[in-house]
Structure formats: C-alpha cells, structure tokens
Amino acid sequence: MSTTKADSETALPRECPVIDGRREIQHIAARASDVGGIPVARALPSKSRRLIGAWCFLDHIGPTVFDTDAHGLRVGAHPHIGLQTFTWLIEGRILHRDSLGFEQEIRPGQVNLMTAGRGISHTEDSVAGATRLHGAQLWIALPYQDRDTDPRFDHYTELPRFALGDIEATLLTGEFGGHTAPTLQFCPLVGMELTWGTAMRQEIEVRPEFEYGILPLAGALTVSSERLAENELAYLGISNDSVELASDGAGRALLIGGIPFDGAVTIWWNFVAHDRADIERATDDWNSHSERFGHIDAPAGGRLDAPSIPWRR
Ligand code: MN
C-alpha cells in the first residue's frame, strides 16, 4: 500500500464548530484508488485532512471478489520508514513477509502491526484459495523521538470485544470504556471496529483531548445527526465528550482517534518523515539496494522501485 503524492501536515483546525448546540462535522469522501490490483477507498490523507491523531493513512480495501487466485492482491517488496502499518481484515487472507524474516498469514479479526522505524521492507499477497478480500490498512506516524526506532513486527490475535448497546465493538488499539488492547503504541491512539445487525441509536463516550474520525465500511451511519454514506469519513475534531451514532439497518464502521499529532510530517510513497531529507535518503537507499531495508526471497510481485521524488526534479 502506498501513496504517490507528497503530503505535508498543515495547520488545519482541530475543533469543529458548534452551531445551534450541535457539533458540525467535516465530511471527507474517500477517493477510489488501486493497490496491488485491488480496489481501495482512500480516506486519508486527503486535501482537507492529513492526520487524525497519529493515523496518517487509511485505505478501505474492497470488499472484492477475485475470479481466480491470479487476480488477487499482489504487492511486491517495498520499504517503509517512520511509520507503523496496521492491517485489519474483515474477509479473506493476506500473507505478510518482511525483511526481518517474519512470515505471517493475516486472518479476519486479527491486527497485523509492522513498525518500520528506521527501515524495513515487506510483501503483501493474497493466499491461494482466498478469493474474497475486505479490510483496512492504516498507517500510524511515529513521533519524532521514535522515528528511527528498531523495526519490529507484531501480530495480535486476541483483542477486547464488548457490547455498546446494540453495537458489537472490537478494540484494535488503545483504551476504551475500561478495556485495553495489547497493541504496541508510540503515542496515545484508539482504533475500534463497530458492527451492528439492526437499526440502532447509541451514544458513546469519548475523550475530549482526542480528535476522532469515523468511517462507515458497510451501510450508512448517522453521526451527531449528520448522515454519512459508506466510505465517507467524518472528522469530529477535539473537545467532544460523547458522540451519538445511529443507523436504519445493519452496518460496520471504523472509529479512529488520538492526541493531535505533534509536529509536521511528510508522507511520500511508502515513507513518513519529519524531514524531507530523510525521505530522499530512504529513496536512494532503497533504489540502490542498501542493506538498510534487508532482503526478501523471491517476492511474487517483484521488487518495487521508488519513483522519482517530485520536489527533487
Ligand atoms: Mn507496505
């Protein structure tokens, strides 16, 4: 998964205005894109919102059905720096392989977390026989002091699950309502999947120091009296004590949030950095086959070269 535009965080308002006693939310339509042959809806980064907490990239993958194994996901060897990749599957299976030697099949209901730090490379491929794919891949920007941390790989199969009224919640990272996910964090964040099988109306308590976003993955969702379509991200900003969710029927959504990220980052290709020179060095290191990013044997999708950096042309 990668982004080809250089995105720098700018000073966007963090607090959504209150009008007639009701918090106005920012609507961000995810844009259609393609990753390794699979249709995705990219909600972050967007022109109007780069980060939500440290969450700096959000692809809703599928849902899609392949007619044969040959048409599945195939992402060749590529590097990352300065971020964690966070993969959550709803349907299907993906095989992760990385330059540390980890080989892990990702299944629905599990969080796959790769901390890139100063450099790692990996491949992401469909598993033979798994002809459906639905999920999300997010990136988390590492704080300045952790940008060069050792690369590592973590996989979480047991996550807190609990009911919020008629909503079934799975806590993917962080804390919520007295529950704590085991997922490694470098700064305070939350990620939670919400599913519901019937019409519902539910108020959930949130932390005023966090900013939040919510993305419907299936079905429409009403957030604080505003209707969101599938793949329409709502930015709720900071200073909320609670959020009211409602729906006319079954659905699924992803809630993300965190302390507003401290510092400006540039997101380009598969790199996140606090200084553009770090992206230039990483690009040169990868394209010159430096040992920094290790090696992966016989990647099914080949080895992906970094494109030329737009600001260096
Ligand atoms: Mn990747």
Side-chain angles (χ1 to χ4, degrees):
M1 321 278 163
S2 72
T3 179
T4 47
K5 273 191 212 135
D7 282 304
S8 290
E9 178 70 340
T10 49
L12 295 165
R14 294 285 181 200
E15 189 161 337
C16 295
V18 175
I19 297 170
D20 294 335
R22 195 169 62 77
R23 180 80 66 187
E24 294 282 299
I25 61 180
Q26 181 188 3
H27 294 249
I28 301 164
R31 58 190 194 279
S33 189
D34 176 285
V35 171
I38 302 299
V40 301
R42 183 156 300 159
L44 288 177
S46 82
K47 275 199 180 70
S48 53
R49 185 63 52 187
R50 309 295 190 204
L51 292 93
I52 297 178
W55 299 102
C56 63
F57 181 92
L58 168 50
D59 267 359
H60 177 200
I61 305 165
T64 188
V65 180
F66 327 129
D67 44 0
T68 70
D69 289 337
H71 294 107
L73 178 76
R74 186 152 292 189
V75 183
H78 62 280
H80 288 285
I81 63 164
L83 58 83
Q84 294 174 290
T85 64
F86 182 105
T87 308
W88 171 249
L89 284 193
I90 297 159
E91 263 194 306
R93 287 179 287 159
I94 294 177
L95 181 66
H96 159 98
R97 292 169 65 211
D98 67 41
S99 53
L100 299 176
F102 288 95
E103 189 167 321
Q104 176 70 51
E105 192 173 293
I106 313 168
R107 292 169 176 265
Q110 307 176 340
V111 166
N112 174 286
L113 183 72
M114 185 180 76
T115 301
R118 67 174 173 271
I120 196 168
S121 57
H122 73 148
T123 59
E124 296 154 292
D125 293 292
S126 285
V127 173
T131 54
R132 307 177 77 86
L133 189 61
H134 188 199
Q137 187 175 81
L138 300 96
W139 295 355
I140 300 162
L142 289 171
Y144 182 81
Q145 65 273 16
D146 299 308
R147 67 196 187 286
D148 290 329
T149 193
D150 290 344
R152 59 180 283 170
F153 174 81
D154 295 277
H155 190 74
Y156 302 97
T157 56
E158 300 293 324
L159 298 162
R161 292 170 194 274
F162 46 93
L164 298 167
D166 290 326
I167 297 174
E168 281 295 322
T170 305
L171 187 58
L172 312 182
T173 185
E175 296 175 10
F176 194 93
H179 302 273
T180 304
T183 317
L184 175 70
Q185 297 194 336
F186 288 84
C187 58
L189 282 179
V190 71
M192 190 159 66
E193 190 198 55
L194 308 172
T195 63
W196 55 95
T198 59
M200 60 84 181
R201 177 173 296 276
Q202 180 67 34
E203 186 167 295
I204 62 171
E205 285 184 20
V206 296
R207 294 168 61 168
E209 70 274 26
F210 273 28
E211 55 179 351
Y212 289 93
I214 187 163
L215 178 70
L217 300 177
L221 175 65
T222 299
V223 178
S224 302
S225 307
E226 287 190 47
R227 188 178 168 85
L228 298 172
E230 205 170 281
N231 289 326
E232 189 179 8
L233 174 67
Y235 176 71
L236 312 177
I238 57 167
S239 305
N240 295 289
D241 297 309
S242 66
V243 176
E244 193 179 79
L245 305 177
S247 179
D248 298 335
R252 182 188 298 272
L254 190 61
L255 176 79
I256 58 173
I259 300 280
F261 194 73
D262 182 23
V265 290
T266 297
I267 305 167
W268 182 77
W269 197 47
N270 291 297
F271 303 134
V272 171
H274 295 256
D275 183 338
R276 286 186 166 192
D278 291 340
I279 288 181
E280 295 174 19
R281 246 186 317 274
T283 298
D284 294 342
D285 287 348
W286 173 253
N287 283 347
S288 65
H289 295 240
S290 154
E291 285 176 16
R292 172 180 181 179
F293 293 105
H295 176 75
I296 299 166
D297 279 332
R303 189 183 190 277
L304 310 180
D305 278 335
S308 58
I309 296 175
W311 66 82
R312 208 159 61 162
R313 270 175 204 145

